[in-house]
Amino acid sequence: MAVNTGRGRRGRRPTLEEVAARAGVGRGTVSRVINGSPRVSAATRAAVEAAVAELGYVPNTAARALAANRTDAIALVVPEPETRFFAEPYFSHMLRGVGAELADTEMQLLLIFAGSDRERRRLAQYLAAHRVDGVLLVSVHADDPLPDLVAQLEIPAVISGPRSAEETLPSVDADNYGGARSAVQHLLDRGRRRIAHITGHLDVYGAQRRVDGYRDALREAGCEVDELLVEPGDFTEEGGRRAMARLLQRVPDLDAVFAGSDVTAAGARQVLRETGRRIPEDVALVGYDDSAIARHMDPPLTSVRQPIEEMGRAMIDLLLTEIADHRSAPAPSPQPHRAVLPTELVVRASS
């Protein structure tokens, strides 16, 4: 029985170029298949895999990484304090999706916090040494310098939610505008007219889009947009408490609240209960994220479900494609790829 030892003619290893020639594709396409890029057709992937099997091509990971200045590592960078990362379900769901999608690859995942100036300086030095092949940026604020630093270093990167409509990096986001509109439309359909909105950080583009969706839903229903009913928040429980208290001081007869996150809604609920408001009889309450918090609140919280784990998976798919494309053609793409995943309103007893 013949045994394929992974050696080509004269006992040497088959090369990537030989695999490409056998499969009838370019070298970059073979690289994309080997690195798990989704931007390859099923027929092309099958042809490359067949050529790999026929030639006995075995990627020499260590030598390949050294020769190509590769690390086989991806950094998940969170420019937030660790306390917020572990307190909010959004981040754990994102991490779960990222980890699941990386499980079948050779890539290692590094979790890096950059919530302080010291951590940011240390991260800048780390990235400048090109110790990772790509970067995932999660929860980035509009004035954050990290995305521009990554771009200057020419490190492939994907951002979870663009910083603005002119974002230059590839991004994956949920439909924040549509999700907010569906939440407000639901409250309008339930007869509510004094609908308040506790926002997220307004230097986060996703939070801005939720405010846009809130306002447009009211306008389309013929309702006045009263800015007294819009209170800035920060996605935290304590921020929800403070915002709810301020809203009740200004507009005590409000009859509904759309909160920027489930955690924020939990804080708002505490203040509503403390001031004698019944939920939903007196004030209907809707959150955002559809986290475990929503299901376990009393009453269970109506919430906008954004597919956070799927967003994490999509970010990895896109980043692997960016890494493969960067290796085969380092010039940046003129139009960054943007993926927007749909949201869904999950109705429960709070509204």
Side-chain angles (χ1 to χ4, degrees), residues 140-143 162-166 173 175-178 180 197-216 230 233 235 258 260:
V140 177
H141 297 243
D143 59 351
R163 291 166 290 172
S164 70
E166 291 76 37
D173 202 4
D175 182 6
N176 291 288
Y177 177 82
H197 178 35
I198 302 175
T199 76
H201 280 292
L202 289 177
D203 60 349
V204 173
Y205 186 61
Q208 297 171 22
R209 293 299 289 154
R210 292 177 198 177
V211 175
D212 293 340
Y214 160 83
R215 289 176 173 146
D216 285 353
V230 179
F235 293 122
F258 167 45

PDB file of all heavy atoms in Angstrom, residues 140-143 162-166 173 175-178 180 197-216 230 233 235 258 260:
ATOM      1  N   VAL A 140     -16.372  50.565  20.641  1.00  0.00           N
ATOM      2  CA  VAL A 140     -15.480  51.688  20.359  1.00  0.00           C
ATOM      3  C   VAL A 140     -16.271  52.990  20.332  1.00  0.00           C
ATOM      4  O   VAL A 140     -17.320  53.081  19.689  1.00  0.00           O
ATOM      5  CB  VAL A 140     -14.757  51.483  19.013  1.00  0.00           C
ATOM      6  CG1 VAL A 140     -13.894  52.684  18.688  1.00  0.00           C
ATOM      7  CG2 VAL A 140     -13.903  50.224  19.069  1.00  0.00           C
ATOM      8  N   HIS A 141     -15.748  54.011  21.009  1.00  0.00           N
ATOM      9  CA  HIS A 141     -16.386  55.319  21.033  1.00  0.00           C
ATOM     10  C   HIS A 141     -15.874  56.171  19.872  1.00  0.00           C
ATOM     11  O   HIS A 141     -14.820  55.905  19.293  1.00  0.00           O
ATOM     12  CB  HIS A 141     -16.115  56.010  22.366  1.00  0.00           C
ATOM     13  CG  HIS A 141     -16.692  55.272  23.533  1.00  0.00           C
ATOM     14  ND1 HIS A 141     -17.672  55.795  24.348  1.00  0.00           N
ATOM     15  CD2 HIS A 141     -16.450  54.036  24.027  1.00  0.00           C
ATOM     16  CE1 HIS A 141     -18.001  54.937  25.288  1.00  0.00           C
ATOM     17  NE2 HIS A 141     -17.260  53.851  25.112  1.00  0.00           N
ATOM     18  N   ALA A 142     -16.619  57.220  19.563  1.00  0.00           N
ATOM     19  CA  ALA A 142     -16.339  58.009  18.355  1.00  0.00           C
ATOM     20  C   ALA A 142     -14.946  58.619  18.362  1.00  0.00           C
ATOM     21  O   ALA A 142     -14.301  58.715  17.314  1.00  0.00           O
ATOM     22  CB  ALA A 142     -17.394  59.112  18.210  1.00  0.00           C
ATOM     23  N   ASP A 143     -14.463  59.041  19.527  1.00  0.00           N
ATOM     24  CA  ASP A 143     -13.170  59.718  19.585  1.00  0.00           C
ATOM     25  C   ASP A 143     -12.020  58.786  19.928  1.00  0.00           C
ATOM     26  O   ASP A 143     -10.911  59.237  20.223  1.00  0.00           O
ATOM     27  CB  ASP A 143     -13.222  60.860  20.605  1.00  0.00           C
ATOM     28  CG  ASP A 143     -13.573  60.353  22.012  1.00  0.00           C
ATOM     29  OD1 ASP A 143     -13.941  59.167  22.143  1.00  0.00           O
ATOM     30  OD2 ASP A 143     -13.483  61.145  22.967  1.00  0.00           O
ATOM     31  N   PRO A 162     -19.807  50.608  13.480  1.00  0.00           N
ATOM     32  CA  PRO A 162     -18.976  51.706  12.981  1.00  0.00           C
ATOM     33  C   PRO A 162     -18.968  52.884  13.950  1.00  0.00           C
ATOM     34  O   PRO A 162     -19.888  53.053  14.752  1.00  0.00           O
ATOM     35  CB  PRO A 162     -19.647  52.075  11.656  1.00  0.00           C
ATOM     36  CG  PRO A 162     -21.066  51.642  11.820  1.00  0.00           C
ATOM     37  CD  PRO A 162     -21.021  50.411  12.672  1.00  0.00           C
ATOM     38  N   ARG A 163     -17.911  53.706  13.880  1.00  0.00           N
ATOM     39  CA  ARG A 163     -17.845  54.914  14.701  1.00  0.00           C
ATOM     40  C   ARG A 163     -18.749  56.001  14.142  1.00  0.00           C
ATOM     41  O   ARG A 163     -19.172  56.903  14.877  1.00  0.00           O
ATOM     42  CB  ARG A 163     -16.408  55.427  14.758  1.00  0.00           C
ATOM     43  CG  ARG A 163     -15.448  54.551  15.547  1.00  0.00           C
ATOM     44  CD  ARG A 163     -14.012  54.936  15.272  1.00  0.00           C
ATOM     45  NE  ARG A 163     -13.614  54.577  13.908  1.00  0.00           N
ATOM     46  CZ  ARG A 163     -12.459  54.934  13.348  1.00  0.00           C
ATOM     47  NH1 ARG A 163     -11.605  55.667  14.033  1.00  0.00           N
ATOM     48  NH2 ARG A 163     -12.164  54.566  12.122  1.00  0.00           N
ATOM     49  N   SER A 164     -19.018  55.952  12.843  1.00  0.00           N
ATOM     50  CA  SER A 164     -19.869  56.944  12.192  1.00  0.00           C
ATOM     51  C   SER A 164     -20.308  56.371  10.856  1.00  0.00           C
ATOM     52  O   SER A 164     -19.909  55.263  10.478  1.00  0.00           O
ATOM     53  CB  SER A 164     -19.102  58.255  11.966  1.00  0.00           C
ATOM     54  OG  SER A 164     -18.113  58.074  10.956  1.00  0.00           O
ATOM     55  N   ALA A 165     -21.106  57.145  10.134  1.00  0.00           N
ATOM     56  CA  ALA A 165     -21.545  56.699   8.813  1.00  0.00           C
ATOM     57  C   ALA A 165     -20.385  56.646   7.834  1.00  0.00           C
ATOM     58  O   ALA A 165     -20.489  55.999   6.787  1.00  0.00           O
ATOM     59  CB  ALA A 165     -22.629  57.642   8.286  1.00  0.00           C
ATOM     60  N   GLU A 166     -19.271  57.300   8.156  1.00  0.00           N
ATOM     61  CA  GLU A 166     -18.094  57.318   7.273  1.00  0.00           C
ATOM     62  C   GLU A 166     -17.005  56.356   7.736  1.00  0.00           C
ATOM     63  O   GLU A 166     -15.832  56.534   7.417  1.00  0.00           O
ATOM     64  CB  GLU A 166     -17.515  58.734   7.191  1.00  0.00           C
ATOM     65  CG  GLU A 166     -18.390  59.735   6.454  1.00  0.00           C
ATOM     66  CD  GLU A 166     -19.573  60.200   7.291  1.00  0.00           C
ATOM     67  OE1 GLU A 166     -19.386  60.366   8.521  1.00  0.00           O
ATOM     68  OE2 GLU A 166     -20.677  60.359   6.723  1.00  0.00           O
ATOM     69  N   ASP A 173     -22.464  45.014  12.584  1.00  0.00           N
ATOM     70  CA  ASP A 173     -23.343  45.684  13.537  1.00  0.00           C
ATOM     71  C   ASP A 173     -24.736  45.085  13.452  1.00  0.00           C
ATOM     72  O   ASP A 173     -25.070  44.369  12.497  1.00  0.00           O
ATOM     73  CB  ASP A 173     -23.409  47.183  13.221  1.00  0.00           C
ATOM     74  CG  ASP A 173     -23.845  48.016  14.423  1.00  0.00           C
ATOM     75  OD1 ASP A 173     -24.012  47.442  15.517  1.00  0.00           O
ATOM     76  OD2 ASP A 173     -24.008  49.242  14.266  1.00  0.00           O
ATOM     77  N   ASP A 175     -28.965  46.083  13.512  1.00  0.00           N
ATOM     78  CA  ASP A 175     -29.779  47.182  12.990  1.00  0.00           C
ATOM     79  C   ASP A 175     -30.331  47.989  14.162  1.00  0.00           C
ATOM     80  O   ASP A 175     -31.480  47.828  14.571  1.00  0.00           O
ATOM     81  CB  ASP A 175     -30.910  46.608  12.130  1.00  0.00           C
ATOM     82  CG  ASP A 175     -31.762  47.709  11.506  1.00  0.00           C
ATOM     83  OD1 ASP A 175     -31.411  48.902  11.649  1.00  0.00           O
ATOM     84  OD2 ASP A 175     -32.781  47.367  10.873  1.00  0.00           O
ATOM     85  N   ASN A 176     -29.499  48.872  14.709  1.00  0.00           N
ATOM     86  CA  ASN A 176     -29.900  49.664  15.874  1.00  0.00           C
ATOM     87  C   ASN A 176     -31.080  50.586  15.562  1.00  0.00           C
ATOM     88  O   ASN A 176     -31.984  50.746  16.381  1.00  0.00           O
ATOM     89  CB  ASN A 176     -28.712  50.492  16.360  1.00  0.00           C
ATOM     90  CG  ASN A 176     -27.626  49.635  16.965  1.00  0.00           C
ATOM     91  OD1 ASN A 176     -27.786  49.101  18.051  1.00  0.00           O
ATOM     92  ND2 ASN A 176     -26.517  49.498  16.262  1.00  0.00           N
ATOM     93  N   TYR A 177     -31.073  51.167  14.381  1.00  0.00           N
ATOM     94  CA  TYR A 177     -32.161  52.062  13.989  1.00  0.00           C
ATOM     95  C   TYR A 177     -33.489  51.294  13.913  1.00  0.00           C
ATOM     96  O   TYR A 177     -34.488  51.700  14.505  1.00  0.00           O
ATOM     97  CB  TYR A 177     -31.830  52.693  12.642  1.00  0.00           C
ATOM     98  CG  TYR A 177     -32.910  53.585  12.079  1.00  0.00           C
ATOM     99  CD1 TYR A 177     -33.031  54.906  12.498  1.00  0.00           C
ATOM    100  CD2 TYR A 177     -33.797  53.110  11.116  1.00  0.00           C
ATOM    101  CE1 TYR A 177     -34.028  55.732  11.987  1.00  0.00           C
ATOM    102  CE2 TYR A 177     -34.793  53.927  10.600  1.00  0.00           C
ATOM    103  CZ  TYR A 177     -34.902  55.233  11.039  1.00  0.00           C
ATOM    104  OH  TYR A 177     -35.886  56.043  10.528  1.00  0.00           O
ATOM    105  N   GLY A 178     -33.478  50.176  13.201  1.00  0.00           N
ATOM    106  CA  GLY A 178     -34.698  49.394  13.066  1.00  0.00           C
ATOM    107  C   GLY A 178     -35.164  48.813  14.381  1.00  0.00           C
ATOM    108  O   GLY A 178     -36.372  48.728  14.649  1.00  0.00           O
ATOM    109  N   ALA A 180     -34.763  50.106  17.408  1.00  0.00           N
ATOM    110  CA  ALA A 180     -35.385  51.166  18.198  1.00  0.00           C
ATOM    111  C   ALA A 180     -36.770  51.505  17.655  1.00  0.00           C
ATOM    112  O   ALA A 180     -37.725  51.703  18.423  1.00  0.00           O
ATOM    113  CB  ALA A 180     -34.491  52.396  18.193  1.00  0.00           C
ATOM    114  N   HIS A 197     -36.959  57.960  26.447  1.00  0.00           N
ATOM    115  CA  HIS A 197     -35.842  57.126  25.978  1.00  0.00           C
ATOM    116  C   HIS A 197     -34.602  57.412  26.812  1.00  0.00           C
ATOM    117  O   HIS A 197     -34.145  58.563  26.896  1.00  0.00           O
ATOM    118  CB  HIS A 197     -35.542  57.408  24.505  1.00  0.00           C
ATOM    119  CG  HIS A 197     -34.378  56.621  23.960  1.00  0.00           C
ATOM    120  ND1 HIS A 197     -34.096  55.337  24.368  1.00  0.00           N
ATOM    121  CD2 HIS A 197     -33.413  56.957  23.052  1.00  0.00           C
ATOM    122  CE1 HIS A 197     -33.022  54.895  23.724  1.00  0.00           C
ATOM    123  NE2 HIS A 197     -32.586  55.867  22.935  1.00  0.00           N
ATOM    124  N   ILE A 198     -34.081  56.384  27.467  1.00  0.00           N
ATOM    125  CA  ILE A 198     -32.791  56.469  28.148  1.00  0.00           C
ATOM    126  C   ILE A 198     -31.756  55.933  27.174  1.00  0.00           C
ATOM    127  O   ILE A 198     -31.767  54.754  26.826  1.00  0.00           O
ATOM    128  CB  ILE A 198     -32.775  55.663  29.451  1.00  0.00           C
ATOM    129  CG1 ILE A 198     -33.870  56.155  30.398  1.00  0.00           C
ATOM    130  CG2 ILE A 198     -31.397  55.765  30.117  1.00  0.00           C
ATOM    131  CD1 ILE A 198     -33.995  55.334  31.670  1.00  0.00           C
ATOM    132  N   THR A 199     -30.884  56.787  26.720  1.00  0.00           N
ATOM    133  CA  THR A 199     -29.949  56.415  25.660  1.00  0.00           C
ATOM    134  C   THR A 199     -28.760  55.640  26.227  1.00  0.00           C
ATOM    135  O   THR A 199     -28.591  55.514  27.448  1.00  0.00           O
ATOM    136  CB  THR A 199     -29.415  57.663  24.940  1.00  0.00           C
ATOM    137  OG1 THR A 199     -28.437  58.300  25.771  1.00  0.00           O
ATOM    138  CG2 THR A 199     -30.521  58.643  24.623  1.00  0.00           C
ATOM    139  N   GLY A 200     -27.925  55.155  25.316  1.00  0.00           N
ATOM    140  CA  GLY A 200     -26.613  54.676  25.694  1.00  0.00           C
ATOM    141  C   GLY A 200     -25.623  55.819  25.575  1.00  0.00           C
ATOM    142  O   GLY A 200     -26.008  56.984  25.446  1.00  0.00           O
ATOM    143  N   HIS A 201     -24.329  55.502  25.644  1.00  0.00           N
ATOM    144  CA  HIS A 201     -23.305  56.530  25.418  1.00  0.00           C
ATOM    145  C   HIS A 201     -23.538  57.162  24.042  1.00  0.00           C
ATOM    146  O   HIS A 201     -23.505  56.473  23.023  1.00  0.00           O
ATOM    147  CB  HIS A 201     -21.912  55.901  25.432  1.00  0.00           C
ATOM    148  CG  HIS A 201     -21.366  55.653  26.801  1.00  0.00           C
ATOM    149  ND1 HIS A 201     -21.020  56.683  27.655  1.00  0.00           N
ATOM    150  CD2 HIS A 201     -21.091  54.498  27.462  1.00  0.00           C
ATOM    151  CE1 HIS A 201     -20.561  56.171  28.780  1.00  0.00           C
ATOM    152  NE2 HIS A 201     -20.588  54.853  28.689  1.00  0.00           N
ATOM    153  N   LEU A 202     -23.736  58.464  23.992  1.00  0.00           N
ATOM    154  CA  LEU A 202     -24.049  59.108  22.721  1.00  0.00           C
ATOM    155  C   LEU A 202     -22.824  59.354  21.846  1.00  0.00           C
ATOM    156  O   LEU A 202     -22.956  59.884  20.745  1.00  0.00           O
ATOM    157  CB  LEU A 202     -24.811  60.411  22.962  1.00  0.00           C
ATOM    158  CG  LEU A 202     -26.243  60.197  23.463  1.00  0.00           C
ATOM    159  CD1 LEU A 202     -26.915  61.516  23.745  1.00  0.00           C
ATOM    160  CD2 LEU A 202     -27.051  59.375  22.460  1.00  0.00           C
ATOM    161  N   ASP A 203     -21.637  58.981  22.329  1.00  0.00           N
ATOM    162  CA  ASP A 203     -20.476  58.991  21.436  1.00  0.00           C
ATOM    163  C   ASP A 203     -20.263  57.614  20.813  1.00  0.00           C
ATOM    164  O   ASP A 203     -19.242  57.364  20.178  1.00  0.00           O
ATOM    165  CB  ASP A 203     -19.217  59.449  22.163  1.00  0.00           C
ATOM    166  CG  ASP A 203     -18.854  58.562  23.347  1.00  0.00           C
ATOM    167  OD1 ASP A 203     -19.691  57.717  23.731  1.00  0.00           O
ATOM    168  OD2 ASP A 203     -17.737  58.712  23.879  1.00  0.00           O
ATOM    169  N   VAL A 204     -21.241  56.735  20.992  1.00  0.00           N
ATOM    170  CA  VAL A 204     -21.265  55.435  20.317  1.00  0.00           C
ATOM    171  C   VAL A 204     -22.301  55.526  19.199  1.00  0.00           C
ATOM    172  O   VAL A 204     -23.461  55.878  19.441  1.00  0.00           O
ATOM    173  CB  VAL A 204     -21.618  54.294  21.295  1.00  0.00           C
ATOM    174  CG1 VAL A 204     -21.802  52.975  20.551  1.00  0.00           C
ATOM    175  CG2 VAL A 204     -20.533  54.163  22.367  1.00  0.00           C
ATOM    176  N   TYR A 205     -21.888  55.211  17.980  1.00  0.00           N
ATOM    177  CA  TYR A 205     -22.762  55.389  16.823  1.00  0.00           C
ATOM    178  C   TYR A 205     -24.049  54.569  16.943  1.00  0.00           C
ATOM    179  O   TYR A 205     -25.129  55.039  16.571  1.00  0.00           O
ATOM    180  CB  TYR A 205     -22.004  55.001  15.554  1.00  0.00           C
ATOM    181  CG  TYR A 205     -22.748  55.273  14.270  1.00  0.00           C
ATOM    182  CD1 TYR A 205     -23.136  56.557  13.926  1.00  0.00           C
ATOM    183  CD2 TYR A 205     -23.058  54.231  13.389  1.00  0.00           C
ATOM    184  CE1 TYR A 205     -23.813  56.817  12.744  1.00  0.00           C
ATOM    185  CE2 TYR A 205     -23.734  54.473  12.205  1.00  0.00           C
ATOM    186  CZ  TYR A 205     -24.114  55.769  11.887  1.00  0.00           C
ATOM    187  OH  TYR A 205     -24.786  56.010  10.716  1.00  0.00           O
ATOM    188  N   GLY A 206     -23.945  53.360  17.479  1.00  0.00           N
ATOM    189  CA  GLY A 206     -25.134  52.534  17.646  1.00  0.00           C
ATOM    190  C   GLY A 206     -26.170  53.195  18.536  1.00  0.00           C
ATOM    191  O   GLY A 206     -27.376  53.123  18.275  1.00  0.00           O
ATOM    192  N   ALA A 207     -25.714  53.859  19.600  1.00  0.00           N
ATOM    193  CA  ALA A 207     -26.638  54.572  20.487  1.00  0.00           C
ATOM    194  C   ALA A 207     -27.282  55.748  19.761  1.00  0.00           C
ATOM    195  O   ALA A 207     -28.477  56.037  19.945  1.00  0.00           O
ATOM    196  CB  ALA A 207     -25.901  55.056  21.735  1.00  0.00           C
ATOM    197  N   GLN A 208     -26.515  56.436  18.927  1.00  0.00           N
ATOM    198  CA  GLN A 208     -27.067  57.534  18.130  1.00  0.00           C
ATOM    199  C   GLN A 208     -28.147  57.026  17.195  1.00  0.00           C
ATOM    200  O   GLN A 208     -29.196  57.666  17.028  1.00  0.00           O
ATOM    201  CB  GLN A 208     -25.962  58.210  17.329  1.00  0.00           C
ATOM    202  CG  GLN A 208     -24.880  58.866  18.155  1.00  0.00           C
ATOM    203  CD  GLN A 208     -23.717  59.329  17.294  1.00  0.00           C
ATOM    204  OE1 GLN A 208     -23.857  59.545  16.087  1.00  0.00           O
ATOM    205  NE2 GLN A 208     -22.558  59.466  17.894  1.00  0.00           N
ATOM    206  N   ARG A 209     -27.913  55.882  16.571  1.00  0.00           N
ATOM    207  CA  ARG A 209     -28.895  55.329  15.638  1.00  0.00           C
ATOM    208  C   ARG A 209     -30.177  54.907  16.359  1.00  0.00           C
ATOM    209  O   ARG A 209     -31.278  54.999  15.801  1.00  0.00           O
ATOM    210  CB  ARG A 209     -28.294  54.145  14.895  1.00  0.00           C
ATOM    211  CG  ARG A 209     -27.165  54.515  13.964  1.00  0.00           C
ATOM    212  CD  ARG A 209     -27.648  55.470  12.878  1.00  0.00           C
ATOM    213  NE  ARG A 209     -28.515  54.792  11.920  1.00  0.00           N
ATOM    214  CZ  ARG A 209     -29.452  55.403  11.202  1.00  0.00           C
ATOM    215  NH1 ARG A 209     -29.688  56.701  11.362  1.00  0.00           N
ATOM    216  NH2 ARG A 209     -30.173  54.715  10.333  1.00  0.00           N
ATOM    217  N   ARG A 210     -30.056  54.467  17.605  1.00  0.00           N
ATOM    218  CA  ARG A 210     -31.257  54.122  18.365  1.00  0.00           C
ATOM    219  C   ARG A 210     -32.072  55.370  18.673  1.00  0.00           C
ATOM    220  O   ARG A 210     -33.306  55.338  18.623  1.00  0.00           O
ATOM    221  CB  ARG A 210     -30.865  53.385  19.651  1.00  0.00           C
ATOM    222  CG  ARG A 210     -30.279  52.020  19.391  1.00  0.00           C
ATOM    223  CD  ARG A 210     -29.819  51.334  20.664  1.00  0.00           C
ATOM    224  NE  ARG A 210     -28.901  50.241  20.340  1.00  0.00           N
ATOM    225  CZ  ARG A 210     -28.283  49.484  21.245  1.00  0.00           C
ATOM    226  NH1 ARG A 210     -28.492  49.703  22.527  1.00  0.00           N
ATOM    227  NH2 ARG A 210     -27.462  48.517  20.852  1.00  0.00           N
ATOM    228  N   VAL A 211     -31.401  56.467  18.962  1.00  0.00           N
ATOM    229  CA  VAL A 211     -32.118  57.724  19.175  1.00  0.00           C
ATOM    230  C   VAL A 211     -32.825  58.144  17.882  1.00  0.00           C
ATOM    231  O   VAL A 211     -33.984  58.582  17.908  1.00  0.00           O
ATOM    232  CB  VAL A 211     -31.156  58.831  19.644  1.00  0.00           C
ATOM    233  CG1 VAL A 211     -31.897  60.166  19.747  1.00  0.00           C
ATOM    234  CG2 VAL A 211     -30.536  58.480  20.992  1.00  0.00           C
ATOM    235  N   ASP A 212     -32.152  57.986  16.756  1.00  0.00           N
ATOM    236  CA  ASP A 212     -32.776  58.314  15.467  1.00  0.00           C
ATOM    237  C   ASP A 212     -34.022  57.467  15.232  1.00  0.00           C
ATOM    238  O   ASP A 212     -35.062  57.978  14.781  1.00  0.00           O
ATOM    239  CB  ASP A 212     -31.781  58.082  14.320  1.00  0.00           C
ATOM    240  CG  ASP A 212     -30.614  59.052  14.344  1.00  0.00           C
ATOM    241  OD1 ASP A 212     -30.734  60.121  14.982  1.00  0.00           O
ATOM    242  OD2 ASP A 212     -29.578  58.744  13.717  1.00  0.00           O
ATOM    243  N   GLY A 213     -33.919  56.183  15.514  1.00  0.00           N
ATOM    244  CA  GLY A 213     -35.077  55.303  15.331  1.00  0.00           C
ATOM    245  C   GLY A 213     -36.222  55.664  16.253  1.00  0.00           C
ATOM    246  O   GLY A 213     -37.397  55.629  15.856  1.00  0.00           O
ATOM    247  N   TYR A 214     -35.900  56.021  17.487  1.00  0.00           N
ATOM    248  CA  TYR A 214     -36.911  56.454  18.460  1.00  0.00           C
ATOM    249  C   TYR A 214     -37.659  57.687  17.947  1.00  0.00           C
ATOM    250  O   TYR A 214     -38.897  57.727  17.924  1.00  0.00           O
ATOM    251  CB  TYR A 214     -36.209  56.734  19.789  1.00  0.00           C
ATOM    252  CG  TYR A 214     -36.956  57.607  20.770  1.00  0.00           C
ATOM    253  CD1 TYR A 214     -37.932  57.069  21.603  1.00  0.00           C
ATOM    254  CD2 TYR A 214     -36.663  58.972  20.871  1.00  0.00           C
ATOM    255  CE1 TYR A 214     -38.611  57.877  22.517  1.00  0.00           C
ATOM    256  CE2 TYR A 214     -37.330  59.785  21.781  1.00  0.00           C
ATOM    257  CZ  TYR A 214     -38.301  59.235  22.594  1.00  0.00           C
ATOM    258  OH  TYR A 214     -38.971  60.026  23.491  1.00  0.00           O
ATOM    259  N   ARG A 215     -36.899  58.692  17.522  1.00  0.00           N
ATOM    260  CA  ARG A 215     -37.526  59.937  17.071  1.00  0.00           C
ATOM    261  C   ARG A 215     -38.358  59.728  15.808  1.00  0.00           C
ATOM    262  O   ARG A 215     -39.477  60.251  15.690  1.00  0.00           O
ATOM    263  CB  ARG A 215     -36.450  60.996  16.830  1.00  0.00           C
ATOM    264  CG  ARG A 215     -35.810  61.514  18.105  1.00  0.00           C
ATOM    265  CD  ARG A 215     -34.689  62.469  17.822  1.00  0.00           C
ATOM    266  NE  ARG A 215     -34.180  63.094  19.047  1.00  0.00           N
ATOM    267  CZ  ARG A 215     -32.922  63.414  19.248  1.00  0.00           C
ATOM    268  NH1 ARG A 215     -32.024  63.219  18.289  1.00  0.00           N
ATOM    269  NH2 ARG A 215     -32.535  63.972  20.384  1.00  0.00           N
ATOM    270  N   ASP A 216     -37.825  58.967  14.859  1.00  0.00           N
ATOM    271  CA  ASP A 216     -38.548  58.769  13.600  1.00  0.00           C
ATOM    272  C   ASP A 216     -39.836  57.983  13.808  1.00  0.00           C
ATOM    273  O   ASP A 216     -40.852  58.253  13.147  1.00  0.00           O
ATOM    274  CB  ASP A 216     -37.652  58.061  12.580  1.00  0.00           C
ATOM    275  CG  ASP A 216     -36.601  58.996  11.999  1.00  0.00           C
ATOM    276  OD1 ASP A 216     -36.664  60.208  12.283  1.00  0.00           O
ATOM    277  OD2 ASP A 216     -35.712  58.509  11.269  1.00  0.00           O
ATOM    278  N   VAL A 230     -35.991  62.615  26.468  1.00  0.00           N
ATOM    279  CA  VAL A 230     -34.752  61.922  26.083  1.00  0.00           C
ATOM    280  C   VAL A 230     -33.689  62.229  27.129  1.00  0.00           C
ATOM    281  O   VAL A 230     -33.347  63.388  27.351  1.00  0.00           O
ATOM    282  CB  VAL A 230     -34.272  62.371  24.687  1.00  0.00           C
ATOM    283  CG1 VAL A 230     -32.975  61.648  24.329  1.00  0.00           C
ATOM    284  CG2 VAL A 230     -35.349  62.104  23.638  1.00  0.00           C
ATOM    285  N   GLY A 233     -27.829  58.189  28.909  1.00  0.00           N
ATOM    286  CA  GLY A 233     -27.411  57.141  29.828  1.00  0.00           C
ATOM    287  C   GLY A 233     -26.056  56.615  29.411  1.00  0.00           C
ATOM    288  O   GLY A 233     -25.379  57.197  28.554  1.00  0.00           O
ATOM    289  N   PHE A 235     -25.496  52.831  29.397  1.00  0.00           N
ATOM    290  CA  PHE A 235     -25.651  51.382  29.274  1.00  0.00           C
ATOM    291  C   PHE A 235     -25.510  50.638  30.608  1.00  0.00           C
ATOM    292  O   PHE A 235     -25.558  49.413  30.631  1.00  0.00           O
ATOM    293  CB  PHE A 235     -24.654  50.779  28.275  1.00  0.00           C
ATOM    294  CG  PHE A 235     -24.858  51.185  26.846  1.00  0.00           C
ATOM    295  CD1 PHE A 235     -23.847  51.810  26.144  1.00  0.00           C
ATOM    296  CD2 PHE A 235     -26.064  50.943  26.200  1.00  0.00           C
ATOM    297  CE1 PHE A 235     -24.012  52.182  24.821  1.00  0.00           C
ATOM    298  CE2 PHE A 235     -26.254  51.315  24.876  1.00  0.00           C
ATOM    299  CZ  PHE A 235     -25.223  51.933  24.187  1.00  0.00           C
ATOM    300  N   PHE A 258     -38.268  53.471  26.894  1.00  0.00           N
ATOM    301  CA  PHE A 258     -37.436  52.621  26.052  1.00  0.00           C
ATOM    302  C   PHE A 258     -35.999  52.822  26.499  1.00  0.00           C
ATOM    303  O   PHE A 258     -35.442  53.908  26.364  1.00  0.00           O
ATOM    304  CB  PHE A 258     -37.617  52.991  24.576  1.00  0.00           C
ATOM    305  CG  PHE A 258     -36.585  52.386  23.657  1.00  0.00           C
ATOM    306  CD1 PHE A 258     -36.213  51.053  23.765  1.00  0.00           C
ATOM    307  CD2 PHE A 258     -35.962  53.168  22.684  1.00  0.00           C
ATOM    308  CE1 PHE A 258     -35.252  50.501  22.926  1.00  0.00           C
ATOM    309  CE2 PHE A 258     -35.011  52.630  21.844  1.00  0.00           C
ATOM    310  CZ  PHE A 258     -34.642  51.303  21.958  1.00  0.00           C
ATOM    311  N   GLY A 260     -31.810  51.943  26.681  1.00  0.00           N
ATOM    312  CA  GLY A 260     -30.763  51.597  25.721  1.00  0.00           C
ATOM    313  C   GLY A 260     -30.152  50.235  25.908  1.00  0.00           C
ATOM    314  O   GLY A 260     -29.424  49.765  25.036  1.00  0.00           O
TER     315      GLY A 260
END
